[in-house]
Structures are given as C-alpha cells and as structure tokens.
PDB file of all heavy atoms in Angstrom:
ATOM      1  N   GLU A   1       0.819  -1.218   0.000  1.00 96.00           N
ATOM      2  CA  GLU A   1       0.000   0.000   0.000  1.00 96.00           C
ATOM      3  C   GLU A   1       0.851   1.266   0.000  1.00 96.00           C
ATOM      4  O   GLU A   1       0.454   2.289  -0.567  1.00 96.00           O
ATOM      5  CB  GLU A   1      -0.928   0.001   1.221  1.00 96.00           C
ATOM      6  CG  GLU A   1      -2.066  -0.993   1.141  1.00 96.00           C
ATOM      7  CD  GLU A   1      -2.960  -0.917   2.367  1.00 96.00           C
ATOM      8  OE1 GLU A   1      -2.792   0.040   3.173  1.00 96.00           O
ATOM      9  OE2 GLU A   1      -3.825  -1.787   2.534  1.00 96.00           O
ATOM     10  N   LEU A   2       2.010   1.209   0.648  1.00 97.00           N
ATOM     11  CA  LEU A   2       2.819   2.414   0.818  1.00 97.00           C
ATOM     12  C   LEU A   2       3.871   2.599  -0.265  1.00 97.00           C
ATOM     13  O   LEU A   2       4.264   3.731  -0.560  1.00 97.00           O
ATOM     14  CB  LEU A   2       3.510   2.386   2.183  1.00 97.00           C
ATOM     15  CG  LEU A   2       2.615   2.473   3.415  1.00 97.00           C
ATOM     16  CD1 LEU A   2       3.473   2.579   4.679  1.00 97.00           C
ATOM     17  CD2 LEU A   2       1.682   3.672   3.325  1.00 97.00           C
ATOM     18  N   TYR A   3       4.368   1.509  -0.845  1.00 97.00           N
ATOM     19  CA  TYR A   3       5.443   1.595  -1.834  1.00 97.00           C
ATOM     20  C   TYR A   3       4.966   1.060  -3.181  1.00 97.00           C
ATOM     21  O   TYR A   3       4.305   0.013  -3.247  1.00 97.00           O
ATOM     22  CB  TYR A   3       6.661   0.794  -1.366  1.00 97.00           C
ATOM     23  CG  TYR A   3       7.322   1.363  -0.119  1.00 97.00           C
ATOM     24  CD1 TYR A   3       6.977   0.902   1.146  1.00 97.00           C
ATOM     25  CD2 TYR A   3       8.286   2.363  -0.224  1.00 97.00           C
ATOM     26  CE1 TYR A   3       7.573   1.422   2.291  1.00 97.00           C
ATOM     27  CE2 TYR A   3       8.894   2.890   0.910  1.00 97.00           C
ATOM     28  CZ  TYR A   3       8.525   2.411   2.166  1.00 97.00           C
ATOM     29  OH  TYR A   3       9.124   2.935   3.298  1.00 97.00           O
ATOM     30  N   ARG A   4       5.334   1.764  -4.242  1.00 94.00           N
ATOM     31  CA  ARG A   4       4.916   1.341  -5.570  1.00 94.00           C
ATOM     32  C   ARG A   4       5.603   0.051  -5.995  1.00 94.00           C
ATOM     33  O   ARG A   4       5.052  -0.752  -6.740  1.00 94.00           O
ATOM     34  CB  ARG A   4       5.244   2.431  -6.587  1.00 94.00           C
ATOM     35  CG  ARG A   4       4.497   3.731  -6.365  1.00 94.00           C
ATOM     36  CD  ARG A   4       4.791   4.712  -7.502  1.00 94.00           C
ATOM     37  NE  ARG A   4       4.183   6.005  -7.262  1.00 94.00           N
ATOM     38  CZ  ARG A   4       4.253   7.027  -8.115  1.00 94.00           C
ATOM     39  NH1 ARG A   4       4.913   6.888  -9.266  1.00 94.00           N
ATOM     40  NH2 ARG A   4       3.681   8.179  -7.821  1.00 94.00           N
ATOM     41  N   ASP A   5       6.854  -0.127  -5.544  1.00 95.00           N
ATOM     42  CA  ASP A   5       7.650  -1.269  -5.978  1.00 95.00           C
ATOM     43  C   ASP A   5       8.573  -1.681  -4.836  1.00 95.00           C
ATOM     44  O   ASP A   5       8.926  -0.846  -3.997  1.00 95.00           O
ATOM     45  CB  ASP A   5       8.474  -0.880  -7.216  1.00 95.00           C
ATOM     46  CG  ASP A   5       9.146  -2.076  -7.871  1.00 95.00           C
ATOM     47  OD1 ASP A   5      10.285  -2.385  -7.462  1.00 95.00           O
ATOM     48  OD2 ASP A   5       8.543  -2.686  -8.761  1.00 95.00           O
ATOM     49  N   VAL A   6       8.983  -2.954  -4.793  1.00 96.00           N
ATOM     50  CA  VAL A   6       9.889  -3.405  -3.741  1.00 96.00           C
ATOM     51  C   VAL A   6      11.221  -2.674  -3.795  1.00 96.00           C
ATOM     52  O   VAL A   6      11.897  -2.511  -2.773  1.00 96.00           O
ATOM     53  CB  VAL A   6      10.119  -4.936  -3.807  1.00 96.00           C
ATOM     54  CG1 VAL A   6       8.882  -5.692  -3.399  1.00 96.00           C
ATOM     55  CG2 VAL A   6      10.601  -5.354  -5.185  1.00 96.00           C
ATOM     56  N   ASP A   7      11.611  -2.200  -4.992  1.00 96.00           N
ATOM     57  CA  ASP A   7      12.875  -1.469  -5.104  1.00 96.00           C
ATOM     58  C   ASP A   7      12.819  -0.085  -4.470  1.00 96.00           C
ATOM     59  O   ASP A   7      13.861   0.565  -4.317  1.00 96.00           O
ATOM     60  CB  ASP A   7      13.278  -1.328  -6.576  1.00 96.00           C
ATOM     61  CG  ASP A   7      13.818  -2.628  -7.151  1.00 96.00           C
ATOM     62  OD1 ASP A   7      14.364  -3.432  -6.378  1.00 96.00           O
ATOM     63  OD2 ASP A   7      13.687  -2.839  -8.372  1.00 96.00           O
ATOM     64  N   ASP A   8      11.634   0.373  -4.100  1.00 97.00           N
ATOM     65  CA  ASP A   8      11.491   1.688  -3.470  1.00 97.00           C
ATOM     66  C   ASP A   8      11.582   1.626  -1.948  1.00 97.00           C
ATOM     67  O   ASP A   8      11.708   2.673  -1.297  1.00 97.00           O
ATOM     68  CB  ASP A   8      10.140   2.317  -3.849  1.00 97.00           C
ATOM     69  CG  ASP A   8      10.024   2.634  -5.326  1.00 97.00           C
ATOM     70  OD1 ASP A   8      11.064   2.926  -5.946  1.00 97.00           O
ATOM     71  OD2 ASP A   8       8.891   2.580  -5.858  1.00 97.00           O
ATOM     72  N   ILE A   9      11.505   0.440  -1.363  1.00 97.00           N
ATOM     73  CA  ILE A   9      11.387   0.327   0.095  1.00 97.00           C
ATOM     74  C   ILE A   9      12.605   0.912   0.792  1.00 97.00           C
ATOM     75  O   ILE A   9      13.749   0.598   0.461  1.00 97.00           O
ATOM     76  CB  ILE A   9      11.194  -1.147   0.504  1.00 97.00           C
ATOM     77  CG1 ILE A   9       9.870  -1.675  -0.041  1.00 97.00           C
ATOM     78  CG2 ILE A   9      11.222  -1.300   2.028  1.00 97.00           C
ATOM     79  CD1 ILE A   9       9.653  -3.150   0.212  1.00 97.00           C
ATOM     80  N   ASP A  10      12.347   1.791   1.753  1.00 97.00           N
ATOM     81  CA  ASP A  10      13.425   2.363   2.556  1.00 97.00           C
ATOM     82  C   ASP A  10      14.208   1.262   3.256  1.00 97.00           C
ATOM     83  O   ASP A  10      13.623   0.277   3.728  1.00 97.00           O
ATOM     84  CB  ASP A  10      12.846   3.290   3.637  1.00 97.00           C
ATOM     85  CG  ASP A  10      12.244   4.558   3.075  1.00 97.00           C
ATOM     86  OD1 ASP A  10      13.015   5.442   2.685  1.00 97.00           O
ATOM     87  OD2 ASP A  10      10.997   4.660   3.048  1.00 97.00           O
ATOM     88  N   LEU A  11      15.514   1.450   3.371  1.00 96.00           N
ATOM     89  CA  LEU A  11      16.336   0.482   4.093  1.00 96.00           C
ATOM     90  C   LEU A  11      15.791   0.252   5.493  1.00 96.00           C
ATOM     91  O   LEU A  11      15.657  -0.901   5.925  1.00 96.00           O
ATOM     92  CB  LEU A  11      17.784   0.980   4.176  1.00 96.00           C
ATOM     93  CG  LEU A  11      18.703   0.162   5.109  1.00 96.00           C
ATOM     94  CD1 LEU A  11      18.880  -1.255   4.586  1.00 96.00           C
ATOM     95  CD2 LEU A  11      20.050   0.853   5.272  1.00 96.00           C
ATOM     96  N   TYR A  12      15.474   1.317   6.204  1.00 97.00           N
ATOM     97  CA  TYR A  12      15.043   1.187   7.591  1.00 97.00           C
ATOM     98  C   TYR A  12      13.767   0.355   7.700  1.00 97.00           C
ATOM     99  O   TYR A  12      13.631  -0.483   8.604  1.00 97.00           O
ATOM    100  CB  TYR A  12      14.823   2.574   8.195  1.00 97.00           C
ATOM    101  CG  TYR A  12      14.615   2.576   9.688  1.00 97.00           C
ATOM    102  CD1 TYR A  12      15.686   2.374  10.551  1.00 97.00           C
ATOM    103  CD2 TYR A  12      13.357   2.781  10.237  1.00 97.00           C
ATOM    104  CE1 TYR A  12      15.504   2.366  11.924  1.00 97.00           C
ATOM    105  CE2 TYR A  12      13.167   2.785  11.613  1.00 97.00           C
ATOM    106  CZ  TYR A  12      14.240   2.577  12.446  1.00 97.00           C
ATOM    107  OH  TYR A  12      14.054   2.568  13.811  1.00 97.00           O
ATOM    108  N   VAL A  13      12.844   0.565   6.786  1.00 97.00           N
ATOM    109  CA  VAL A  13      11.586  -0.199   6.808  1.00 97.00           C
ATOM    110  C   VAL A  13      11.839  -1.647   6.417  1.00 97.00           C
ATOM    111  O   VAL A  13      11.363  -2.581   7.076  1.00 97.00           O
ATOM    112  CB  VAL A  13      10.551   0.453   5.870  1.00 97.00           C
ATOM    113  CG1 VAL A  13       9.311  -0.436   5.740  1.00 97.00           C
ATOM    114  CG2 VAL A  13      10.158   1.835   6.395  1.00 97.00           C
ATOM    115  N   GLY A  14      12.603  -1.863   5.354  1.00 97.00           N
ATOM    116  CA  GLY A  14      12.854  -3.225   4.902  1.00 97.00           C
ATOM    117  C   GLY A  14      13.585  -4.071   5.915  1.00 97.00           C
ATOM    118  O   GLY A  14      13.292  -5.264   6.077  1.00 97.00           O
ATOM    119  N   LEU A  15      14.526  -3.468   6.628  1.00 96.00           N
ATOM    120  CA  LEU A  15      15.280  -4.207   7.645  1.00 96.00           C
ATOM    121  C   LEU A  15      14.365  -4.845   8.674  1.00 96.00           C
ATOM    122  O   LEU A  15      14.588  -5.985   9.105  1.00 96.00           O
ATOM    123  CB  LEU A  15      16.253  -3.262   8.355  1.00 96.00           C
ATOM    124  CG  LEU A  15      17.528  -2.866   7.619  1.00 96.00           C
ATOM    125  CD1 LEU A  15      18.223  -1.728   8.363  1.00 96.00           C
ATOM    126  CD2 LEU A  15      18.466  -4.060   7.498  1.00 96.00           C
ATOM    127  N   PHE A  16      13.350  -4.105   9.086  1.00 96.00           N
ATOM    128  CA  PHE A  16      12.486  -4.590  10.166  1.00 96.00           C
ATOM    129  C   PHE A  16      11.226  -5.284   9.653  1.00 96.00           C
ATOM    130  O   PHE A  16      10.530  -5.960  10.418  1.00 96.00           O
ATOM    131  CB  PHE A  16      12.130  -3.429  11.096  1.00 96.00           C
ATOM    132  CG  PHE A  16      13.329  -2.886  11.824  1.00 96.00           C
ATOM    133  CD1 PHE A  16      13.972  -1.742  11.376  1.00 96.00           C
ATOM    134  CD2 PHE A  16      13.842  -3.538  12.929  1.00 96.00           C
ATOM    135  CE1 PHE A  16      15.099  -1.253  12.026  1.00 96.00           C
ATOM    136  CE2 PHE A  16      14.959  -3.058  13.588  1.00 96.00           C
ATOM    137  CZ  PHE A  16      15.591  -1.908  13.129  1.00 96.00           C
ATOM    138  N   ALA A  17      10.935  -5.130   8.361  1.00 96.00           N
ATOM    139  CA  ALA A  17       9.806  -5.857   7.784  1.00 96.00           C
ATOM    140  C   ALA A  17      10.178  -7.307   7.487  1.00 96.00           C
ATOM    141  O   ALA A  17       9.326  -8.203   7.527  1.00 96.00           O
ATOM    142  CB  ALA A  17       9.345  -5.169   6.506  1.00 96.00           C
ATOM    143  N   GLU A  18      11.434  -7.547   7.169  1.00 95.00           N
ATOM    144  CA  GLU A  18      11.915  -8.883   6.828  1.00 95.00           C
ATOM    145  C   GLU A  18      11.701  -9.831   8.000  1.00 95.00           C
ATOM    146  O   GLU A  18      11.933  -9.470   9.152  1.00 95.00           O
ATOM    147  CB  GLU A  18      13.404  -8.780   6.500  1.00 95.00           C
ATOM    148  CG  GLU A  18      13.957  -9.879   5.658  1.00 95.00           C
ATOM    149  CD  GLU A  18      15.409  -9.599   5.282  1.00 95.00           C
ATOM    150  OE1 GLU A  18      16.290  -9.801   6.144  1.00 95.00           O
ATOM    151  OE2 GLU A  18      15.662  -9.164   4.147  1.00 95.00           O
ATOM    152  N   GLU A  19      11.277 -11.042   7.705  1.00 91.00           N
ATOM    153  CA  GLU A  19      11.052 -11.999   8.777  1.00 91.00           C
ATOM    154  C   GLU A  19      12.328 -12.787   9.078  1.00 91.00           C
ATOM    155  O   GLU A  19      13.189 -12.957   8.207  1.00 91.00           O
ATOM    156  CB  GLU A  19       9.924 -12.960   8.428  1.00 91.00           C
ATOM    157  CG  GLU A  19      10.225 -13.910   7.282  1.00 91.00           C
ATOM    158  CD  GLU A  19       9.076 -14.869   7.020  1.00 91.00           C
ATOM    159  OE1 GLU A  19       8.451 -15.311   7.989  1.00 91.00           O
ATOM    160  OE2 GLU A  19       8.816 -15.153   5.838  1.00 91.00           O
ATOM    161  N   PRO A  20      12.480 -13.276  10.313  1.00 90.00           N
ATOM    162  CA  PRO A  20      13.665 -14.071  10.673  1.00 90.00           C
ATOM    163  C   PRO A  20      13.758 -15.346   9.842  1.00 90.00           C
ATOM    164  O   PRO A  20      12.775 -15.828   9.285  1.00 90.00           O
ATOM    165  CB  PRO A  20      13.443 -14.380  12.157  1.00 90.00           C
ATOM    166  CG  PRO A  20      12.527 -13.302  12.639  1.00 90.00           C
ATOM    167  CD  PRO A  20      11.623 -13.006  11.469  1.00 90.00           C
ATOM    168  N   GLY A  21      14.980 -15.890   9.798  1.00 84.00           N
ATOM    169  CA  GLY A  21      15.225 -17.079   8.990  1.00 84.00           C
ATOM    170  C   GLY A  21      14.718 -18.359   9.598  1.00 84.00           C
ATOM    171  O   GLY A  21      14.635 -19.378   8.926  1.00 84.00           O
ATOM    172  N   SER A  22      14.401 -18.337  10.908  1.00 85.00           N
ATOM    173  CA  SER A  22      13.868 -19.526  11.581  1.00 85.00           C
ATOM    174  C   SER A  22      13.138 -19.065  12.836  1.00 85.00           C
ATOM    175  O   SER A  22      13.326 -17.943  13.304  1.00 85.00           O
ATOM    176  CB  SER A  22      15.003 -20.485  11.957  1.00 85.00           C
ATOM    177  OG  SER A  22      15.709 -20.001  13.093  1.00 85.00           O
ATOM    178  N   PRO A  23      12.295 -19.939  13.429  1.00 83.00           N
ATOM    179  CA  PRO A  23      11.582 -19.549  14.650  1.00 83.00           C
ATOM    180  C   PRO A  23      12.507 -19.191  15.807  1.00 83.00           C
ATOM    181  O   PRO A  23      12.126 -18.426  16.691  1.00 83.00           O
ATOM    182  CB  PRO A  23      10.743 -20.792  14.967  1.00 83.00           C
ATOM    183  CG  PRO A  23      10.569 -21.482  13.656  1.00 83.00           C
ATOM    184  CD  PRO A  23      11.843 -21.243  12.914  1.00 83.00           C
ATOM    185  N   ASP A  24      13.727 -19.733  15.822  1.00 84.00           N
ATOM    186  CA  ASP A  24      14.652 -19.445  16.921  1.00 84.00           C
ATOM    187  C   ASP A  24      15.496 -18.191  16.694  1.00 84.00           C
ATOM    188  O   ASP A  24      16.228 -17.777  17.592  1.00 84.00           O
ATOM    189  CB  ASP A  24      15.596 -20.642  17.142  1.00 84.00           C
ATOM    190  CG  ASP A  24      14.868 -21.821  17.754  1.00 84.00           C
ATOM    191  OD1 ASP A  24      13.894 -21.604  18.495  1.00 84.00           O
ATOM    192  OD2 ASP A  24      15.278 -22.970  17.477  1.00 84.00           O
ATOM    193  N   ALA A  25      15.396 -17.612  15.513  1.00 89.00           N
ATOM    194  CA  ALA A  25      16.192 -16.418  15.222  1.00 89.00           C
ATOM    195  C   ALA A  25      15.507 -15.185  15.796  1.00 89.00           C
ATOM    196  O   ALA A  25      14.280 -15.046  15.724  1.00 89.00           O
ATOM    197  CB  ALA A  25      16.390 -16.271  13.721  1.00 89.00           C
ATOM    198  N   ILE A  26      16.290 -14.282  16.378  1.00 92.00           N
ATOM    199  CA  ILE A  26      15.766 -13.040  16.928  1.00 92.00           C
ATOM    200  C   ILE A  26      15.666 -11.974  15.852  1.00 92.00           C
ATOM    201  O   ILE A  26      14.737 -11.167  15.835  1.00 92.00           O
ATOM    202  CB  ILE A  26      16.670 -12.545  18.072  1.00 92.00           C
ATOM    203  CG1 ILE A  26      16.606 -13.510  19.251  1.00 92.00           C
ATOM    204  CG2 ILE A  26      16.296 -11.140  18.522  1.00 92.00           C
ATOM    205  CD1 ILE A  26      17.614 -13.191  20.329  1.00 92.00           C
ATOM    206  N   LEU A  27      16.628 -11.981  14.912  1.00 93.00           N
ATOM    207  CA  LEU A  27      16.711 -10.942  13.898  1.00 93.00           C
ATOM    208  C   LEU A  27      16.533 -11.537  12.509  1.00 93.00           C
ATOM    209  O   LEU A  27      16.884 -12.688  12.266  1.00 93.00           O
ATOM    210  CB  LEU A  27      18.084 -10.254  13.955  1.00 93.00           C
ATOM    211  CG  LEU A  27      18.502  -9.646  15.297  1.00 93.00           C
ATOM    212  CD1 LEU A  27      19.918  -9.096  15.192  1.00 93.00           C
ATOM    213  CD2 LEU A  27      17.544  -8.545  15.716  1.00 93.00           C
ATOM    214  N   PRO A  28      16.025 -10.742  11.563  1.00 92.00           N
ATOM    215  CA  PRO A  28      15.955 -11.201  10.176  1.00 92.00           C
ATOM    216  C   PRO A  28      17.338 -11.247   9.541  1.00 92.00           C
ATOM    217  O   PRO A  28      18.299 -10.677  10.079  1.00 92.00           O
ATOM    218  CB  PRO A  28      15.051 -10.160   9.504  1.00 92.00           C
ATOM    219  CG  PRO A  28      15.010  -8.997  10.416  1.00 92.00           C
ATOM    220  CD  PRO A  28      15.359  -9.456  11.778  1.00 92.00           C
ATOM    221  N   PRO A  29      17.487 -11.928   8.400  1.00 91.00           N
ATOM    222  CA  PRO A  29      18.814 -12.190   7.837  1.00 91.00           C
ATOM    223  C   PRO A  29      19.646 -10.956   7.500  1.00 91.00           C
ATOM    224  O   PRO A  29      20.833 -10.900   7.826  1.00 91.00           O
ATOM    225  CB  PRO A  29      18.502 -13.010   6.583  1.00 91.00           C
ATOM    226  CG  PRO A  29      17.214 -13.687   6.891  1.00 91.00           C
ATOM    227  CD  PRO A  29      16.433 -12.703   7.706  1.00 91.00           C
ATOM    228  N   LEU A  30      19.068  -9.949   6.812  1.00 93.00           N
ATOM    229  CA  LEU A  30      19.873  -8.795   6.426  1.00 93.00           C
ATOM    230  C   LEU A  30      20.331  -8.021   7.655  1.00 93.00           C
ATOM    231  O   LEU A  30      21.498  -7.611   7.748  1.00 93.00           O
ATOM    232  CB  LEU A  30      19.079  -7.876   5.495  1.00 93.00           C
ATOM    233  CG  LEU A  30      19.825  -6.630   5.009  1.00 93.00           C
ATOM    234  CD1 LEU A  30      21.105  -6.999   4.266  1.00 93.00           C
ATOM    235  CD2 LEU A  30      18.916  -5.778   4.108  1.00 93.00           C
ATOM    236  N   LEU A  31      19.453  -7.835   8.610  1.00 92.00           N
ATOM    237  CA  LEU A  31      19.810  -7.155   9.850  1.00 92.00           C
ATOM    238  C   LEU A  31      20.913  -7.916  10.579  1.00 92.00           C
ATOM    239  O   LEU A  31      21.884  -7.326  11.078  1.00 92.00           O
ATOM    240  CB  LEU A  31      18.568  -7.031  10.740  1.00 92.00           C
ATOM    241  CG  LEU A  31      18.611  -6.069  11.916  1.00 92.00           C
ATOM    242  CD1 LEU A  31      18.878  -4.655  11.468  1.00 92.00           C
ATOM    243  CD2 LEU A  31      17.296  -6.130  12.682  1.00 92.00           C
ATOM    244  N   THR A  32      20.789  -9.233  10.627  1.00 89.00           N
ATOM    245  CA  THR A  32      21.805 -10.069  11.273  1.00 89.00           C
ATOM    246  C   THR A  32      23.156  -9.904  10.610  1.00 89.00           C
ATOM    247  O   THR A  32      24.185  -9.764  11.284  1.00 89.00           O
ATOM    248  CB  THR A  32      21.389 -11.547  11.230  1.00 89.00           C
ATOM    249  OG1 THR A  32      20.148 -11.712  11.915  1.00 89.00           O
ATOM    250  CG2 THR A  32      22.436 -12.435  11.895  1.00 89.00           C
ATOM    251  N   LYS A  33      23.164  -9.903   9.287  1.00 89.00           N
ATOM    252  CA  LYS A  33      24.438  -9.845   8.578  1.00 89.00           C
ATOM    253  C   LYS A  33      25.130  -8.493   8.780  1.00 89.00           C
ATOM    254  O   LYS A  33      26.335  -8.431   9.022  1.00 89.00           O
ATOM    255  CB  LYS A  33      24.237 -10.133   7.094  1.00 89.00           C
ATOM    256  CG  LYS A  33      25.544 -10.278   6.344  1.00 89.00           C
ATOM    257  CD  LYS A  33      25.351 -10.764   4.917  1.00 89.00           C
ATOM    258  CE  LYS A  33      25.065 -12.232   4.837  1.00 89.00           C
ATOM    259  NZ  LYS A  33      25.189 -12.776   3.450  1.00 89.00           N
ATOM    260  N   ILE A  34      24.370  -7.399   8.692  1.00 89.00           N
ATOM    261  CA  ILE A  34      24.975  -6.078   8.885  1.00 89.00           C
ATOM    262  C   ILE A  34      25.525  -5.954  10.299  1.00 89.00           C
ATOM    263  O   ILE A  34      26.629  -5.435  10.515  1.00 89.00           O
ATOM    264  CB  ILE A  34      23.959  -4.966   8.587  1.00 89.00           C
ATOM    265  CG1 ILE A  34      23.606  -4.954   7.095  1.00 89.00           C
ATOM    266  CG2 ILE A  34      24.507  -3.603   8.994  1.00 89.00           C
ATOM    267  CD1 ILE A  34      22.534  -3.952   6.719  1.00 89.00           C
TER     268      ILE A  34
END
C-alpha cells in the first residue's frame, strides 16, 4: 500500500519488515548480517 515497488522500500523499513530465517532467530537475515 505504501510503496509502488519493492525497489522503493526504505532500508530502515525493509530491515524490520523482513522476517527471521527460523523460529529461533531473533533478527531477520539482512539485519543479522549487517
């Protein structure tokens, strides 16, 4: 609803929108890697 395309998503929003890689993970993958 907010972004026309996935390539427009702000880094800050995308970092926290991404879901973790497993139920035991606290952070999503990109956030974890950075």
Side-chain angles (χ1 to χ4, degrees):
E1 288 181 10
L2 294 186
Y3 294 94
R4 296 185 185 182
D5 190 271
V6 290
D7 285 332
D8 295 330
I9 295 175
D10 291 285
L11 170 65
Y12 190 75
V13 172
L15 283 169
F16 295 99
E18 202 174 78
E19 67 178 322
S22 76
D24 289 330
I26 294 172
L27 304 176
L30 181 58
L31 195 59
T32 300
K33 188 172 283 193
I34 293 176

